[in-house]
Amino acid sequence: MAKTKLEELNTNIYDFKNADNYDYKIKKGLSKEIVEEISKQKNEPSWVLDIRLKALDAYNKLTMPTWGPNLDELNMDDIATYVKPKAKIESNWNDVPEDIKNTFDKLGIPKAEREYLAGVGAQYDSEVVYHSIKDELKKQGVIYTDFDSAIKEYPDLVKEYFTKCVPIFEHKFIALHYAVFSGGSFVYVPKGVKLEMPLQSYFRLNSPESGQFEHTLIIVDEGASLHFIEGCSAPKYNKVNLHAGCVELFVKDNAYLRYSTIENWSKNMMNLNTKKAILETNAKVDWISGSFGSHISMLYPMSILKGNNSSTEYTGISFAGKNQNLDTGFKVVHIGKNTSSVVSSRSISKNGGIATYRSLVRILPNATNSKCSVSCDGLMLDDISRSDTIPVNDVQNNQVSFSHEAKIGKISEKSIFYLMSRGLSEEDAKALIVRGFASPVSKQLPIEYAVEMNRLINLELEGCIG
Amino acid sequence: MEELLRIENLQTKVLDKQILKGLDLVINKGEVHVIMGPNGAGKSTLANTILSNPEYTKIAGKITFDGKDITNKKTDEIARMGIFMSFQTPEEIPGISVFNFLKTAKNKVTGKTIYGVDFKKEIEGYAQSLDMNPQLIGRDFNVGFSGGEKKKNEILQMLALSPKFVILDETDSGLDVDAIRVVSKGIDLYKNENNAVLVITHSTKILENLKVDHVHILIDGKIVKTGTMELAKEIEKNGYEAYKNGKD
Ligand SMILES: Nc1ncnc2c1ncn2[C@@H]1O[C@H](COP(=O)(O)OP(=O)(O)OP(=O)(O)O)[C@@H](O)[C@H]1O
Ligand SMILES: [Mg+2]
């Protein structure tokens, strides 16, 4: 038992590199030529290139954020925005090139697919290398495919929704995203279809000094239901890598979507990701978000409660260690009547890490009889780490119930002593306390992912005691 | 009789204040010892010092357990050697069930893999004998437990971990009369000729089911008198005034 534990702590299954063995890697930097070249490489319709060029223009005009972590280390001249792996998209793992297949094997993806997923997408650098969905779901009209194929096979559907949830001009990095986006998943669940098992897309960035800009678009039609899981990881390099993905979610009347993410980026990653959901009448979206790794993260999933009676829950955890600044949180806009949101955020910081919970709650004048409750807890494992909360609340009518609770504290020496008096080492004691602290999130995940999350916590705690 | 714990000239300070001022105590296997003393005398300090709580600094003295010098050992090592303390104020650990906690602790203390099903039956048996609501076992550790439930949970852990030596720091305070009786029976259930118990208490109620060997009076960081159950009863009646002469 003790031995297994040690091995678990010492093997970081995420941090293995394959040779930078690409088919095509675009030259570093960002320019019109580069954007045009990406479009050409992808052989995509001209309306997509038009969006890219408009986005590039927006990127050049928009200013850097004036708040949040310092992004000076990010220099687009050092980033290759498109890396095409030596692989084409397959629907059988045996057809995926050996080194790439091994990567996903190590990450446990094919096994998960066999055991409890209804479909899987796997992206390696800028392109999706594997996509598959169970036949019976296809028969019910469920679409689950990579985003490039969706552009070609379902152009009307894509045109109707693409950029309509997260507009090009929303902020500088979303403009960047639309200029160079590549890969990602497209999901359509038809009216009334309820998926029993989750779909999962996994994004792996292997290539150094590059960026990943996948676009995920999900439409859950009236009365349908879906659990979508997103996983991300990358090996560690000495130079900056960039992730600026975008997730657009459309959840129709009476539909349900659970969107779970476990991100475990390497510690050289700038993770500037944008996710948003628009909810129609009586729709519900649950966000479960685990943010591990990355050098800097700016990640604030957002729910727009447009329809009456729509509701959303956000349960998030982030873990910031040495040299990490994780700026995460949740945004919600209540537009419809009787809308409700419940936010529970937890952050852990150690070895000088900074974990900030940044939130926005906006309740518009017409959103009468709405409810919002926010609770955030921060746990600092030592005196040099930081946990902050920066809430912005804008409540524009008085027929609402709104509560906000924030608790930030250091890990209790008394609790550590108590656990040690029961035979646990200092390290085990801290790990137990942290796992307990994280349990509101891990409880929301399927068991396999909860195990995965605990393992990430153990990895983060490794070497945390002198 | 075989010696289990030996404390010699123990001196402890907390922050900059000396609390224990040269304490000696020998406990043999099979014995039940009782420590009584006024508030702030240093009883909990003694318990915490034995378990090497880092908040309590040993400035002199030696502690030997089972023939080994444990004076400078870390808390978890001491626990794994078989010393258990029932806390005067038990901690709450959110997100971990009582059962999972016990399983982890049992695994650490024994170094063996613990099998869920058998262990669960064992725990449920102990809970029953302590008249504990069985649902507590599945709840987050001590979170939202009443004061009495927390104390019973300490005894539950003692039974589950079966240590060689236990220190019960005011386990009886905050318990109703029936609960004290139940806990007292629990201690009796645990007790055998190979282990030993040190009861820190302000009342003799918890001792009713136990065969007490020695009663010590601790005042101002020292043991000022040792006797039998008679001494405990006398204190209960007359208080500590008669023993406080050497004070300050
Ligand atoms: N962690 C601590 N920090 C500061 N002072 C402490 C600490 N622990 C104990 N003390 C002080 O040491 C003295 C002895 O305390 P201790 O808890 O040992 O008393 P006690 O005999 O157990 O009393 P009681 O009967 O009230 O439980 C007290 O003056 C107390 O305030
Ligand atoms: Mg005390």
Side-chain angles (χ1 to χ4, degrees):
Chain A
M1 192 76 181
K3 189 155 167 277
T4 342
K5 184 74 199 298
L6 257 182
E7 279 166 7
E8 232 174 63
L9 286 172
N10 290 336
T11 24
N12 185 342
I13 62 154
Y14 306 94
D15 189 25
F16 56 92
K17 303 178 175 79
N18 292 342
D20 192 16
N21 204 0
Y22 46 80
D23 187 46
Y24 175 80
K25 186 169 183 171
I26 204 151
K27 70 172 202 260
K28 292 178 192 167
L30 189 62
S31 65
K32 187 158 181 263
E33 295 68 47
I34 282 173
V35 169
E36 280 168 347
E37 183 58 29
I38 291 173
S39 185
K40 199 173 128 205
Q41 285 284 333
K42 299 179 82 70
N43 192 22
E44 62 193 11
S46 63
W47 68 268
V48 181
L49 177 61
D50 292 345
I51 288 178
R52 290 186 189 280
L53 292 173
K54 216 160 93 186
L56 178 66
D57 193 41
Y59 174 79
N60 288 328
K61 283 180 185 145
L62 288 164
T63 53
M64 292 289 274
T66 51
W67 45 272
N70 184 328
L71 299 175
D72 287 353
E73 283 165 81
L74 177 64
N75 182 354
M76 283 313 293
D77 294 339
D78 293 336
I79 301 278
T81 53
Y82 180 70
V83 185
K84 186 182 190 175
K86 271 193 173 151
K88 54 188 198 322
I89 182 161
E90 304 290 354
S91 56
N92 184 333
W93 281 109
N94 291 328
D95 299 331
V96 175
E98 197 68 18
D99 58 334
I100 298 179
K101 178 179 177 291
N102 284 344
T103 299
F104 289 105
D105 264 337
K106 280 188 203 159
L107 295 167
I109 310 300
K111 182 168 179 283
E113 179 179 16
R114 286 193 297 274
E115 289 170 6
Y116 47 78
L117 295 172
V120 159
Q123 177 162 340
Y124 192 81
D125 292 332
S126 297
E127 294 292 351
V128 175
V129 296
Y130 175 87
H131 229 286
S132 169
I133 179 170
K134 286 199 163 27
D135 282 340
E136 60 263 35
L137 291 175
K138 263 193 218 160
K139 281 184 204 132
Q140 292 178 68
V142 177
I143 302 169
Y144 179 43
T145 181
D146 65 292
F147 201 73
D148 287 10
S149 303
I151 290 174
K152 284 164 192 149
E153 290 165 32
Y154 311 98
D156 297 340
L157 212 46
V158 173
K159 272 188 202 161
E160 188 181 343
Y161 291 97
F162 184 52
T163 73
K164 301 299 187 303
C165 178
V166 180
I168 294 169
F169 295 93
E170 191 151 300
H171 59 76
K172 192 168 179 81
F173 293 100
I174 203 65
L176 170 68
H177 168 86
Y178 280 117
V180 297
F181 79 93
S182 180
S185 289
F186 177 82
V187 184
Y188 173 75
V189 186
K191 284 182 189 169
V193 174
K194 293 183 188 327
L195 271 69
E196 303 278 317
M197 289 193 291
L199 300 175
Q200 180 180 29
S201 289
Y202 200 99
F203 303 98
R204 175 76 176 177
L205 180 55
N206 182 68
S207 189
E209 295 178 85
S210 66
Q212 196 168 45
F213 307 92
E214 82 287 352
H215 196 90
T216 297
L217 201 170
I218 298 177
I219 303 151
V220 188
D221 215 332
E222 292 171 20
S225 135
L226 169 69
H227 182 188
F228 188 85
I229 301 174
E230 173 194 59
C232 326
S233 70
K236 183 164 169 36
Y237 296 104
N238 293 327
K239 300 249 177 79
V240 168
N241 272 24
L242 172 64
H243 176 238
C246 176
V247 174
E248 297 187 280
L249 309 174
F250 298 87
V251 186
K252 303 294 173 117
D253 293 1
N254 303 310
Y256 175 73
L257 172 62
R258 170 176 284 250
Y259 196 93
S260 304
T261 309
I262 300 187
E263 304 194 28
N264 182 40
W265 296 113
S266 52
K267 308 275 159 79
N268 59 314
M269 182 67 82
M270 298 276 202
N271 181 31
L272 312 172
N273 213 6
T274 307
K275 303 178 182 187
K276 200 196 281 185
I278 297 178
L279 291 80
E280 305 292 341
T281 304
N282 204 32
K284 182 161 202 273
V285 171
D286 290 335
W287 300 89
I288 293 98
S289 172
S291 298
F292 294 84
S294 86
H295 173 41
I296 289 172
S297 274
M298 293 176 78
L299 174 63
Y300 324 96
M302 181 174 196
S303 283
I304 309 281
L305 304 177
K306 181 169 162 240
N308 293 341
N309 300 311
S310 57
S311 64
T312 192
E313 275 184 40
Y314 170 85
T315 314
I317 189 156
S318 62
F319 196 138
K322 193 175 176 182
N323 266 325
Q324 289 184 269
N325 188 341
L326 305 187
D327 206 85
T328 63
F330 185 63
K331 297 197 271 186
V332 60
V333 181
H334 291 252
I335 300 173
K337 296 185 197 323
N338 308 317
T339 47
S340 101
S341 58
V342 179
V343 179
S344 159
S345 152
R346 312 221 137 188
S347 66
I348 302 154
S349 52
K350 63 146 204 181
N351 284 358
I354 304 173
T356 305
Y357 174 78
R358 194 184 294 273
S359 69
L360 168 75
V361 174
R362 178 161 288 148
I363 305 183
L364 297 186
N366 285 332
T368 49
N369 201 20
S370 291
K371 282 193 290 243
C372 170
S373 82
V374 179
S375 87
C376 36
D377 291 74
L379 180 66
M380 293 173 283
L381 299 191
D382 50 47
D383 293 324
I384 55 170
S385 302
R386 262 177 50 197
S387 247
D388 294 315
T389 60
I390 307 176
V392 175
N393 303 315
D394 174 18
V395 180
Q396 303 177 10
N397 83 66
N398 51 18
Q399 287 165 275
V400 295
S401 113
F402 175 69
S403 71
H404 183 105
E405 219 182 281
K407 263 204 317 272
I408 287 173
K410 223 195 114 191
I411 193 165
S412 150
E413 298 295 336
K414 283 199 170 65
S415 295
I416 294 171
F417 171 67
Y418 185 85
L419 292 172
M420 289 177 74
S421 83
R422 301 315 190 226
L424 282 74
S425 67
E426 188 174 346
E427 198 161 330
D428 288 339
K430 286 190 176 178
L432 189 91
I433 292 167
V434 172
R435 280 203 305 273
F437 180 78
S439 82
V441 184
S442 48
K443 265 187 210 152
Q444 301 270 344
L445 295 167
I447 178 78
E448 296 79 6
Y449 295 86
V451 169
E452 166 94 0
M453 205 178 89
N454 281 337
R455 179 195 178 63
L456 283 173
I457 289 172
N458 286 342
L459 269 172
E460 292 297 338
L461 286 167
E462 183 185 346
C464 119
I465 293 126
Chain B
M1 266 193 294
E2 211 183 321
E3 187 179 293
L4 188 59
L5 180 79
R6 168 175 291 270
I7 297 174
E8 295 161 285
N9 185 34
L10 188 61
Q11 300 188 37
T12 300
K13 66 172 187 186
V14 184
L15 303 176
D16 272 333
K17 189 173 157 211
Q18 182 162 0
I19 311 293
L20 298 185
K21 300 176 177 171
L23 187 144
D24 298 285
L25 181 66
V26 175
I27 297 179
N28 296 311
K29 286 187 179 168
E31 290 182 344
V32 173
H33 287 235
V34 175
I35 288 188
M36 299 179 90
N39 296 132
K43 302 180 298 297
S44 296
T45 301
L46 171 63
N48 280 283
T49 306
I50 294 172
L51 273 141
S52 286
N53 185 333
E55 281 181 65
Y56 298 76
T57 316
K58 293 181 187 104
I59 46 183
K62 186 177 177 192
I63 307 175
T64 314
F65 179 69
D66 229 1
K68 292 177 200 84
D69 184 350
I70 61 162
T71 319
N72 296 314
K73 290 220 179 304
K74 283 190 87 175
T75 304
D76 53 323
E77 272 180 86
I78 295 168
R80 289 195 295 267
M81 289 172 74
I83 301 185
F84 177 91
M85 157 170 167
S86 165
F87 282 60
Q88 185 168 355
T89 324
E91 289 292 308
E92 297 182 4
I93 316 284
I96 303 292
S97 70
V98 171
F99 180 70
N100 281 335
F101 177 90
L102 285 170
K103 221 169 100 174
T104 306
K106 183 82 180 178
N107 164 255
K108 296 298 171 193
V109 162
T110 60
K112 289 184 193 136
T113 308
I114 303 305
Y115 294 99
V117 185
D118 296 345
F119 191 59
K120 184 120 197 215
K121 279 209 188 99
E122 191 184 330
I123 299 302
E124 281 165 352
Y126 295 141
Q128 198 175 18
S129 65
L130 292 172
D131 204 13
M132 272 174 95
N133 178 349
Q135 278 171 355
L136 290 178
I137 297 170
R139 273 177 45 188
D140 278 13
F141 193 88
N142 280 344
V143 178
F145 283 28
S146 75
E149 286 168 342
K150 284 182 182 170
K151 292 300 183 71
K152 282 187 177 178
N153 187 16
E154 296 290 289
I155 300 302
L156 181 73
Q157 292 171 66
M158 174 190 86
L159 293 172
L161 301 178
S162 59
K164 289 182 194 155
F165 174 58
V166 306
I167 306 165
L168 305 175
D169 190 1
E170 294 197 30
T171 303
D172 50 350
S173 60
L175 290 178
D176 66 48
V177 272
D178 297 328
I180 292 179
R181 199 169 303 126
V182 164
V183 163
S184 183
K185 278 187 195 149
I187 301 165
D188 190 48
L189 177 70
Y190 156 79
K191 188 74 201 44
N192 63 39
E193 63 275 24
N194 286 314
N195 59 28
V197 178
L198 175 63
V199 185
I200 297 171
T201 184
H202 290 295
S203 107
T204 56
K205 192 110 205 114
I206 192 171
L207 308 173
E208 270 168 21
N209 284 289
L210 306 174
K211 192 194 130 295
V212 173
D213 297 284
H214 301 284
V215 175
H216 312 278
I217 307 303
L218 197 161
I219 292 180
D220 194 25
K222 277 185 190 156
I223 289 176
V224 297
K225 188 169 172 76
T226 295
T228 60
M229 262 309 274
E230 296 310 309
L231 179 60
K233 286 186 180 139
E234 186 214 312
I235 291 290
E236 199 163 44
K237 202 161 129 223
N238 303 325
Y240 297 104
E241 219 39 58
Y243 301 97
K244 273 187 176 169
N245 43 8
K247 200 177 146 229
D248 291 333

PDB file of all heavy atoms in Angstrom, chain A residues 149-160:
ATOM      1  N   SER A 149     -14.561  18.900 -39.681  1.00  0.00           N
ATOM      2  CA  SER A 149     -15.523  18.091 -40.433  1.00  0.00           C
ATOM      3  C   SER A 149     -16.908  18.709 -40.360  1.00  0.00           C
ATOM      4  O   SER A 149     -17.661  18.692 -41.335  1.00  0.00           O
ATOM      5  CB  SER A 149     -15.592  16.666 -39.886  1.00  0.00           C
ATOM      6  OG  SER A 149     -14.316  16.086 -39.914  1.00  0.00           O
ATOM      7  N   ALA A 150     -17.247  19.262 -39.191  1.00  0.00           N
ATOM      8  CA  ALA A 150     -18.573  19.870 -39.038  1.00  0.00           C
ATOM      9  C   ALA A 150     -18.747  21.027 -40.011  1.00  0.00           C
ATOM     10  O   ALA A 150     -19.813  21.190 -40.617  1.00  0.00           O
ATOM     11  CB  ALA A 150     -18.765  20.346 -37.599  1.00  0.00           C
ATOM     12  N   ILE A 151     -17.690  21.828 -40.173  1.00  0.00           N
ATOM     13  CA  ILE A 151     -17.762  22.962 -41.111  1.00  0.00           C
ATOM     14  C   ILE A 151     -18.107  22.447 -42.510  1.00  0.00           C
ATOM     15  O   ILE A 151     -18.912  23.044 -43.227  1.00  0.00           O
ATOM     16  CB  ILE A 151     -16.417  23.728 -41.137  1.00  0.00           C
ATOM     17  CG1 ILE A 151     -16.225  24.475 -39.817  1.00  0.00           C
ATOM     18  CG2 ILE A 151     -16.347  24.690 -42.316  1.00  0.00           C
ATOM     19  CD1 ILE A 151     -14.856  25.138 -39.679  1.00  0.00           C
ATOM     20  N   LYS A 152     -17.517  21.309 -42.859  1.00  0.00           N
ATOM     21  CA  LYS A 152     -17.739  20.775 -44.202  1.00  0.00           C
ATOM     22  C   LYS A 152     -19.060  20.015 -44.325  1.00  0.00           C
ATOM     23  O   LYS A 152     -19.759  20.126 -45.329  1.00  0.00           O
ATOM     24  CB  LYS A 152     -16.563  19.881 -44.606  1.00  0.00           C
ATOM     25  CG  LYS A 152     -15.367  20.756 -44.974  1.00  0.00           C
ATOM     26  CD  LYS A 152     -14.051  20.023 -45.026  1.00  0.00           C
ATOM     27  CE  LYS A 152     -12.924  21.070 -45.097  1.00  0.00           C
ATOM     28  NZ  LYS A 152     -11.695  20.648 -44.474  1.00  0.00           N
ATOM     29  N   GLU A 153     -19.395  19.259 -43.275  1.00  0.00           N
ATOM     30  CA  GLU A 153     -20.567  18.386 -43.394  1.00  0.00           C
ATOM     31  C   GLU A 153     -21.876  19.018 -42.933  1.00  0.00           C
ATOM     32  O   GLU A 153     -22.943  18.632 -43.395  1.00  0.00           O
ATOM     33  CB  GLU A 153     -20.323  17.090 -42.599  1.00  0.00           C
ATOM     34  CG  GLU A 153     -19.266  16.209 -43.262  1.00  0.00           C
ATOM     35  CD  GLU A 153     -18.749  15.132 -42.321  1.00  0.00           C
ATOM     36  OE1 GLU A 153     -19.539  14.655 -41.470  1.00  0.00           O
ATOM     37  OE2 GLU A 153     -17.556  14.786 -42.414  1.00  0.00           O
ATOM     38  N   TYR A 154     -21.795  19.961 -42.008  1.00  0.00           N
ATOM     39  CA  TYR A 154     -23.022  20.606 -41.510  1.00  0.00           C
ATOM     40  C   TYR A 154     -22.885  22.124 -41.571  1.00  0.00           C
ATOM     41  O   TYR A 154     -23.013  22.815 -40.559  1.00  0.00           O
ATOM     42  CB  TYR A 154     -23.310  20.166 -40.066  1.00  0.00           C
ATOM     43  CG  TYR A 154     -23.249  18.667 -39.864  1.00  0.00           C
ATOM     44  CD1 TYR A 154     -22.100  18.062 -39.354  1.00  0.00           C
ATOM     45  CD2 TYR A 154     -24.336  17.861 -40.214  1.00  0.00           C
ATOM     46  CE1 TYR A 154     -22.029  16.685 -39.189  1.00  0.00           C
ATOM     47  CE2 TYR A 154     -24.264  16.479 -40.042  1.00  0.00           C
ATOM     48  CZ  TYR A 154     -23.107  15.899 -39.532  1.00  0.00           C
ATOM     49  OH  TYR A 154     -23.035  14.549 -39.374  1.00  0.00           O
ATOM     50  N   PRO A 155     -22.611  22.657 -42.767  1.00  0.00           N
ATOM     51  CA  PRO A 155     -22.307  24.094 -42.849  1.00  0.00           C
ATOM     52  C   PRO A 155     -23.447  24.978 -42.346  1.00  0.00           C
ATOM     53  O   PRO A 155     -23.198  26.001 -41.700  1.00  0.00           O
ATOM     54  CB  PRO A 155     -22.039  24.319 -44.337  1.00  0.00           C
ATOM     55  CG  PRO A 155     -22.627  23.148 -45.042  1.00  0.00           C
ATOM     56  CD  PRO A 155     -22.593  22.007 -44.082  1.00  0.00           C
ATOM     57  N   ASP A 156     -24.691  24.577 -42.591  1.00  0.00           N
ATOM     58  CA  ASP A 156     -25.798  25.442 -42.174  1.00  0.00           C
ATOM     59  C   ASP A 156     -25.903  25.538 -40.663  1.00  0.00           C
ATOM     60  O   ASP A 156     -26.077  26.613 -40.102  1.00  0.00           O
ATOM     61  CB  ASP A 156     -27.123  24.930 -42.752  1.00  0.00           C
ATOM     62  CG  ASP A 156     -27.099  24.994 -44.275  1.00  0.00           C
ATOM     63  OD1 ASP A 156     -26.262  25.766 -44.811  1.00  0.00           O
ATOM     64  OD2 ASP A 156     -27.878  24.262 -44.920  1.00  0.00           O
ATOM     65  N   LEU A 157     -25.791  24.369 -40.043  1.00  0.00           N
ATOM     66  CA  LEU A 157     -25.857  24.319 -38.584  1.00  0.00           C
ATOM     67  C   LEU A 157     -24.697  25.130 -37.980  1.00  0.00           C
ATOM     68  O   LEU A 157     -24.882  25.926 -37.056  1.00  0.00           O
ATOM     69  CB  LEU A 157     -25.770  22.846 -38.152  1.00  0.00           C
ATOM     70  CG  LEU A 157     -26.498  22.391 -36.895  1.00  0.00           C
ATOM     71  CD1 LEU A 157     -27.914  22.911 -36.834  1.00  0.00           C
ATOM     72  CD2 LEU A 157     -26.483  20.854 -36.831  1.00  0.00           C
ATOM     73  N   VAL A 158     -23.512  24.925 -38.505  1.00  0.00           N
ATOM     74  CA  VAL A 158     -22.349  25.633 -37.965  1.00  0.00           C
ATOM     75  C   VAL A 158     -22.511  27.134 -38.161  1.00  0.00           C
ATOM     76  O   VAL A 158     -22.319  27.926 -37.236  1.00  0.00           O
ATOM     77  CB  VAL A 158     -21.037  25.127 -38.611  1.00  0.00           C
ATOM     78  CG1 VAL A 158     -19.856  25.994 -38.174  1.00  0.00           C
ATOM     79  CG2 VAL A 158     -20.775  23.673 -38.219  1.00  0.00           C
ATOM     80  N   LYS A 159     -22.912  27.549 -39.385  1.00  0.00           N
ATOM     81  CA  LYS A 159     -23.073  28.987 -39.655  1.00  0.00           C
ATOM     82  C   LYS A 159     -24.107  29.621 -38.727  1.00  0.00           C
ATOM     83  O   LYS A 159     -23.965  30.758 -38.305  1.00  0.00           O
ATOM     84  CB  LYS A 159     -23.515  29.203 -41.103  1.00  0.00           C
ATOM     85  CG  LYS A 159     -22.345  29.324 -42.074  1.00  0.00           C
ATOM     86  CD  LYS A 159     -22.865  29.744 -43.446  1.00  0.00           C
ATOM     87  CE  LYS A 159     -21.883  29.353 -44.511  1.00  0.00           C
ATOM     88  NZ  LYS A 159     -22.495  29.319 -45.845  1.00  0.00           N
ATOM     89  N   GLU A 160     -25.150  28.844 -38.437  1.00  0.00           N
ATOM     90  CA  GLU A 160     -26.206  29.393 -37.591  1.00  0.00           C
ATOM     91  C   GLU A 160     -25.705  29.712 -36.167  1.00  0.00           C
ATOM     92  O   GLU A 160     -26.158  30.662 -35.548  1.00  0.00           O
ATOM     93  CB  GLU A 160     -27.370  28.390 -37.524  1.00  0.00           C
ATOM     94  CG  GLU A 160     -28.596  28.946 -36.816  1.00  0.00           C
ATOM     95  CD  GLU A 160     -29.733  27.923 -36.736  1.00  0.00           C
ATOM     96  OE1 GLU A 160     -29.706  26.913 -37.496  1.00  0.00           O
ATOM     97  OE2 GLU A 160     -30.637  28.138 -35.906  1.00  0.00           O
TER      98      GLU A 160
END
